[in-house]
Amino acid sequence: MAKDIVDIALSQIGYKEGSGNNTKYGKYTGANMAPWCHSFVSWCAYKAGETKAVPKTASTDTGMAWFKNKGRFKKKGSYKPQRGDIVYFKTGRSHVGIVEKVKGNTLHTVEGNTSNKVARRTYSLNNGTITGYGVPNYKNSGTVTYSSYTTKTLNGKKVKAKFTGYYPANNSMEGGFYAANGEKLNYKKKTCAAPKSIPFNTQIQVLKTGTKQDEKTFRVNDRGGAIKVVNGVYHFDLLFKNKTEANNFGVRTGYAIIGNGTGYKLSSKTSKKYKANNTTSAAEKKYLKRLAKSGGSRTAPALSGEVVANYDHANVDLQVLVSQRKSIYGTVYQPAVEDLSLTLERSGTPGKCTFKVYKDDILRIQKGNMVRVIVDNYKLFYGFVFTTKESDPEHLEVTAYDQLRYFKYKSSYTFKKAKASTVLRTICKDHLFHYGTIADTKYKLPKIIQQDKTLLDIMGDVLAETTMATGKIFVLYDQYGKITLQDASKLRLDCVVDKETAQGYSYESSIDGNTYNYIVLKLEDQKGSFVSMDSGAIEKWGMLKYVDTLKDPSIGKIKADALRNAYSRLERKFTVNDVFGDPRVKAGFSVPVIMSLHDKTLKHYMMVEKVTHKFKNREHTMDLTLRGAGISG
């Protein structure tokens, strides 16, 4: 531009408002004597001759909506802003400015109505108050800086990608004239060649290659021998009109969103897994008979049909809100969070959220403050500050726990013929805990006597006995400030865990732990014992002996056989690291796992025993401990 909107804005630096917000910018938009930050932006566009590229308005809401309606709004983190873009601050405040430049990770702006004047400002690109950018279609731009393609993000999986240009040619090395699906190559159809794991007709959206192909959508119609997934990076070939265009594009790295595919198709098989327990209740007798007969631990439900993850783990919008305890109407702080982790475990542990914030003169975080964590509008965590720690002059480390932390309080309860769900509801009412959905556990425990135990231990005991009697696992957790109890079989998600969505994993199989193939139960008050052995396992591994005492001889044989079936097997442990994040994942939920291990192939829903959600640099990953399909977690 000969004199663009930024030049105009820079010429206004130092301009101060008159009494009562009186400015020439407000007079231009017809909203004089009102807040004038957007009036300033609109006036600068008018002076640059760009009234069709930027709306004439004093309202930041109206301005941002105008860009969104034209498909020219870019969400923070998904786009690197350019000179002349309009930056909107709608997260925690309402403001707008003009982008002067980006240097490194720093955004430089020119803004009106900042400290009652026009001035330069700087921000981190990850600043929590930035919502996104209006990208004007300037008519006077000397170069094509902005793509006119309307962004439409596919509801698919975002992956690292490598793109290579190719074109129709009379030899297969350069393209050939026909695609692998039999159709003649036609660049107008936006053809893409993809790895065999991605079905034909799947849409692929190109991102962050630094070319005008960014945000355009191609369709998989072709294959290629070298087009594979290598070290988690998906390789794609994009079809161009001719050799010149293909060579100009060359080879580029970036990201791809894989959408509208047919997903993984696997065989269908469903069974249950039961958990061993060594109490001597009436429920255990029923459980031991089942375990002695069946072996107890069967495969987890196998996957069938389509399984495609729908959550974009990159460029997440993370909000951390801190306020006075039990109040959302007082002062609410939204600190700049450097990194955050949330750990959830299935049994006996409250949710733990830790994060590091930058200290400033405004921020006041006190013990007992309420903490809310929201990820892309998903309500992830609701808890309270228990610990603050300073390790350097600039940062404050904060630890918060969800409502289950207060279940560490000790109490005593006695019930007759009561369900676990009834016990939980009683505890919540007695201790004034907020609760939401509490699933009916149906089975009535004959007698419950719990003396001087933590509430977590009390619920752990009654839920374990319910599992022994029914074979059903129930999951206790805090759902954004409400104590919740759900049947684990109904908590299945669609976020696929495989070697492409995870950065690493650890799988250990061992007999050096809780593996026993020779069981001896000695009677406490009389001579004699019950023995059960696995001869095949003894031949393979040698004798691994388990010895315990027994009070009730009437269950001796059944219990010995049950323990043999439970313990005469490999002990397997499986953890997956840096999986693409999904905020819905909680301990007790099940996720689809597709992996080939050295002695086992997984194509099953597996239960999450423990999950740690990690947020850093706007990227969300998870560490998972999994159980099921013969893996103990």
Side-chain angles (χ1 to χ4, degrees):
M1 304 177 203
K3 195 171 186 181
D4 67 8
I5 189 172
V6 177
D7 295 327
I8 300 295
L10 291 172
S11 71
Q12 300 298 299
I13 289 178
Y15 180 97
K16 294 184 177 180
E17 66 181 33
S19 177
N21 285 324
N22 183 14
T23 66
K24 60 184 178 183
Y25 315 119
K27 291 177 182 178
Y28 167 69
T29 59
N32 198 24
M33 315 300 284
W36 50 277
C37 58
H38 209 297
S39 291
F40 168 72
V41 171
S42 299
W43 183 90
C44 291
Y46 161 67
K47 287 296 183 179
E50 296 287 359
T51 54
K52 292 184 178 181
V54 178
K56 180 180 180 180
T57 179
S59 167
T60 55
D61 286 333
T62 300
M64 190 165 73
W66 187 90
F67 282 108
K68 286 183 176 180
N69 289 338
K70 292 185 175 294
R72 305 197 66 83
F73 186 82
K74 309 293 184 182
K75 190 177 178 181
K76 176 183 68 174
S78 65
Y79 165 79
K80 184 176 181 180
Q82 308 291 324
R83 176 185 174 94
D85 285 349
I86 311 303
V87 54
Y88 285 91
F89 304 84
K90 297 296 293 179
T91 307
R93 62 179 176 141
S94 185
H95 190 56
V96 68
I98 298 171
V99 175
E100 179 185 2
K101 62 184 177 182
V102 173
K103 189 172 182 180
N105 195 45
T106 302
L107 175 70
H108 297 256
T109 65
V110 184
E111 302 170 16
N113 200 20
T114 177
S115 299
N116 303 322
K117 63 184 178 181
V118 177
R120 277 189 169 110
R121 293 287 182 257
T122 58
Y123 307 87
S124 164
L125 286 174
N126 296 324
N127 185 281
T129 64
I130 298 174
T131 298
Y133 305 89
V135 182
N137 186 17
Y138 291 119
K139 66 180 180 180
N140 293 328
S141 176
T143 59
V144 182
T145 305
Y146 310 105
S147 168
S148 61
Y149 187 83
T150 301
T151 301
K152 183 178 181 182
T153 302
L154 302 175
N155 290 322
K157 180 172 67 175
K158 186 173 182 179
V159 298
K160 293 179 180 179
K162 181 178 180 180
F163 302 92
T164 303
Y166 78 117
Y167 66 100
N170 61 1
N171 64 83
S172 60
M173 287 296 295
E174 294 178 288
F177 286 117
Y178 290 89
N181 66 353
E183 296 179 2
K184 191 170 183 177
L185 289 174
N186 184 350
Y187 77 96
K188 292 181 180 180
K189 292 184 178 181
K190 293 291 181 184
T191 290
C192 170
K196 291 181 180 180
S197 59
I198 302 176
F200 285 131
N201 293 320
T202 300
Q203 291 183 341
I204 305 296
Q205 190 176 38
V206 179
L207 297 175
K208 295 189 177 181
T209 64
T211 72
K212 62 182 180 181
Q213 303 305 319
D214 283 353
E215 301 174 1
K216 292 188 178 181
T217 301
F218 290 74
R219 189 174 294 277
V220 176
N221 290 325
D222 206 1
R223 301 290 187 213
I227 302 173
K228 302 177 181 178
V229 181
V230 181
N231 296 326
V233 179
Y234 284 68
H235 289 212
F236 300 95
D237 283 6
L238 307 181
L239 184 68
F240 288 83
K241 181 178 180 180
N242 53 49
K243 185 175 183 178
T244 300
E245 289 186 5
N247 289 343
N248 285 341
F249 180 86
V251 178
R252 306 274 179 163
T253 57
Y255 290 87
I257 293 180
I258 303 173
N260 296 346
T262 60
Y264 299 94
K265 293 185 177 179
L266 304 169
S267 62
S268 177
K269 183 179 180 182
T270 302
S271 57
K272 295 179 181 177
K273 177 172 182 173
Y274 301 118
K275 180 182 176 184
N277 192 289
N278 292 324
T279 65
T280 57
S281 66
E284 187 197 13
K285 292 182 180 180
K286 187 183 295 185
Y287 169 71
L288 290 175
K289 289 178 181 179
R290 183 170 61 245
L291 185 58
K293 183 178 179 180
S294 67
S297 183
R298 305 175 186 173
T299 58
L303 302 179
S304 63
E306 300 180 5
V307 184
V308 179
N310 290 320
Y311 182 72
D312 182 1
H313 75 289
N315 303 314
V316 297
D317 183 14
L318 175 69
Q319 295 183 60
V320 178
L321 306 175
V322 181
S323 58
Q324 295 176 3
R325 184 179 178 85
K326 297 183 180 179
S327 171
I328 60 174
Y329 302 107
T331 302
V332 178
Y333 299 105
Q334 186 173 357
V337 176
E338 186 169 298
D339 51 57
L340 179 147
S341 69
L342 171 63
T343 299
L344 306 170
E345 298 187 50
R346 189 172 70 86
S347 301
T349 305
K352 179 181 180 181
C353 181
T354 60
F355 55 93
K356 183 182 289 188
V357 300
Y358 291 100
K359 293 192 296 185
D360 57 38
D361 294 335
I362 299 176
L363 183 64
R364 296 289 184 272
I365 296 181
Q366 304 293 333
K367 265 61 75 179
N369 280 170
M370 181 170 64
V371 175
R372 289 170 287 157
V373 179
I374 301 171
V375 181
D376 288 335
N377 296 320
Y378 181 88
K379 295 177 179 179
L380 178 65
F381 175 82
Y382 183 112
F384 302 95
V385 175
F386 273 73
T387 305
T388 57
K389 177 182 176 182
E390 295 185 44
S391 54
D392 63 66
E394 296 182 351
H395 298 93
L396 184 69
E397 296 176 30
V398 181
T399 299
Y401 292 95
D402 63 22
Q403 199 175 183
L404 285 176
R405 172 61 176 77
Y406 297 100
F407 273 56
K408 289 189 174 183
Y409 171 79
K410 286 188 176 182
S411 188
S412 299
Y413 282 94
T414 300
F415 293 89
K416 284 186 178 181
K417 294 184 178 180
K419 296 181 287 188
S421 50
T422 302
V423 175
L424 177 59
R425 192 174 281 107
T426 301
I427 287 174
C428 289
K429 290 179 179 179
D430 286 351
H431 298 276
L432 303 179
F433 296 137
H434 297 286
Y435 64 92
T437 301
I438 296 181
D440 186 356
T441 53
K442 296 185 179 179
Y443 174 74
K444 292 184 177 181
L445 286 75
K447 193 172 184 179
I448 302 171
I449 301 175
Q450 298 282 342
Q451 298 293 329
D452 196 29
K453 287 188 175 182
T454 68
L455 300 178
L456 278 173
D457 287 340
I458 292 172
M459 285 310 305
D461 289 347
V462 297
L463 289 174
E465 192 163 348
T466 300
T467 297
M468 286 191 295
T470 66
K472 287 188 174 183
I473 296 175
F474 288 88
V475 182
L476 175 66
Y477 60 97
D478 185 323
Q479 178 64 48
Y480 201 70
K482 292 184 177 181
I483 300 300
T484 302
L485 184 70
Q486 291 278 27
D487 183 341
S489 66
K490 298 179 180 179
L491 302 176
R492 293 180 185 169
L493 301 175
D494 59 358
C495 49
V496 178
V497 176
D498 57 22
K499 291 183 180 179
E500 293 167 4
T501 61
Q503 301 302 307
Y505 69 95
S506 173
Y507 171 64
E508 176 184 322
S509 60
S510 172
I511 60 172
D512 187 21
N514 291 320
T515 299
Y516 305 98
N517 50 31
Y518 191 95
I519 309 297
V520 179
L521 299 179
K522 296 181 178 180
L523 291 171
E524 278 190 353
D525 301 326
Q526 51 190 299
K527 294 181 179 180
S529 62
F530 293 89
V531 176
S532 183
M533 69 181 76
D534 183 344
S535 301
I538 292 173
E539 186 176 344
K540 284 192 298 183
W541 305 329
M543 183 179 292
L544 301 169
K545 186 178 288 190
Y546 175 96
V547 180
D548 201 357
T549 56
L550 181 71
K551 289 184 178 180
D552 183 2
S554 68
I555 63 168
K557 184 179 186 307
I558 296 173
K559 186 167 185 177
D561 288 344
L563 291 174
R564 181 202 66 210
N565 283 337
Y567 291 135
S568 185
R569 63 185 64 213
L570 290 173
E571 186 177 16
R572 293 180 166 98
K573 297 180 180 179
F574 185 42
T575 58
V576 192
N577 308 115
D578 297 319
V579 184
F580 290 172
D582 188 321
R584 300 171 299 166
V585 176
K586 294 180 175 63
F589 284 48
S590 294
V591 296
V593 180
I594 304 171
M595 282 197 182
S596 294
L597 306 174
H598 75 273
D599 64 352
K600 194 172 189 65
T601 297
L602 298 174
K603 291 183 180 179
H604 301 83
Y605 282 100
M606 297 186 69
M607 181 179 286
V608 177
E609 282 291 292
K610 179 180 178 181
V611 55
T612 298
H613 291 275
K614 300 181 295 185
F615 298 88
K616 190 165 186 176
N617 298 327
R618 296 186 56 79
E619 186 171 22
H620 177 193
T621 58
M622 306 180 293
D623 293 341
L624 303 175
T625 300
L626 300 166
R627 68 175 296 161
I631 293 173
S632 56

